[in-house]
Amino acid sequence: QSAAPARSASLRRQDLMPVAFPGWQDTDTGRVGQPVLPDIGNEGRPVADSARPTAARVTAREVVRLSDSRAMLLTETVPLDNQGQPLDAHVSGAWLGAYVFERQGEGWVLAQRQDAVDYLGFMGSFGETAVHRAAPTRLVLSATYGSCWQGHCASWLSAWELQPGGVRPVLD
């Protein structure tokens, strides 16, 4: 296996993923490796101070240009079980990850990583995503997801502001 590139010549998803996740294994649906993720408690929320390297599959969802010199790769991360299969049961969501890239010379280098911005969704997915311009200099990522159980259906909307220094929740 060749060494991972230290920079990407473009902002294409397939070019940024090896820079954000060097040395990871490529699969049909993403890259498999060990991001640092917290445990999920019984109430479905992250457990404080439990973050550790966790086997997971990471899939690129969005690439957003924040400015002439900064861009963000947004990912969906699904932990794997002991057999290497995604945890995609009804109660299992996915992690939103955010990776800020900075232009240096003719390429893009990883400047900041957030493996576990938020955990949400069902069946190993956090649903549909879209990037919206909320103001001339303000970008927001939305995720909509839903599910049905025991005869009841519901849907949710979450949103995060995309900033040059990372991601900040604005709606849960």
Side-chain angles (χ1 to χ4, degrees):
Q1 178 165 322
S2 63
R7 71 181 62 237
S8 171
S10 81
L11 289 176
R12 294 183 316 188
R13 295 173 193 189
Q14 66 267 28
D15 295 336
L16 295 176
M17 289 292 281
V19 176
F21 308 103
W24 286 27
Q25 176 186 355
D26 283 310
T27 70
D28 290 341
T29 55
R31 287 179 75 88
V32 174
Q34 300 251 329
V36 177
L37 303 174
D39 292 329
I40 298 298
N42 291 335
E43 71 290 340
R45 302 307 302 164
V47 176
D49 300 320
S50 67
R52 59 182 163 60
T54 304
R57 180 192 68 210
V58 179
T59 305
R61 290 294 293 260
E62 307 277 351
V63 176
V64 181
R65 190 85 179 248
L66 302 174
S67 69
D68 288 343
S69 62
R70 292 184 83 80
M72 185 178 290
L73 168 67
L74 298 161
T75 62
E76 179 177 76
T77 301
V78 179
L80 304 176
D81 66 17
N82 292 337
Q83 288 75 44
Q85 297 300 309
L87 294 173
D88 59 4
H90 184 262
V91 297
S92 301
W95 286 98
L96 170 64
Y99 305 87
V100 176
F101 286 83
E102 188 172 79
R103 180 180 278 292
Q104 288 186 3
E106 295 301 312
W108 296 88
V109 298
L110 184 64
Q112 180 185 349
R113 67 183 308 123
Q114 289 177 273
D115 288 331
V117 171
D118 207 347
Y119 184 82
L120 61 153
F122 298 95
M123 301 300 294
S125 175
F126 51 67
E128 299 296 318
T129 58
V131 177
H132 312 273
R133 187 165 296 283
T137 60
R138 195 167 181 203
L139 294 169
V140 174
L141 172 74
S142 67
T144 55
Y145 53 100
S147 187
C148 297
W149 61 100
Q150 297 179 342
H152 300 280
C153 294
S155 59
W156 292 266
L157 168 67
S158 294
W160 304 266
E161 184 176 4
L162 308 179
Q163 303 171 323
V167 176
R168 181 182 71 83
V170 292
L171 176 66
D172 183 20

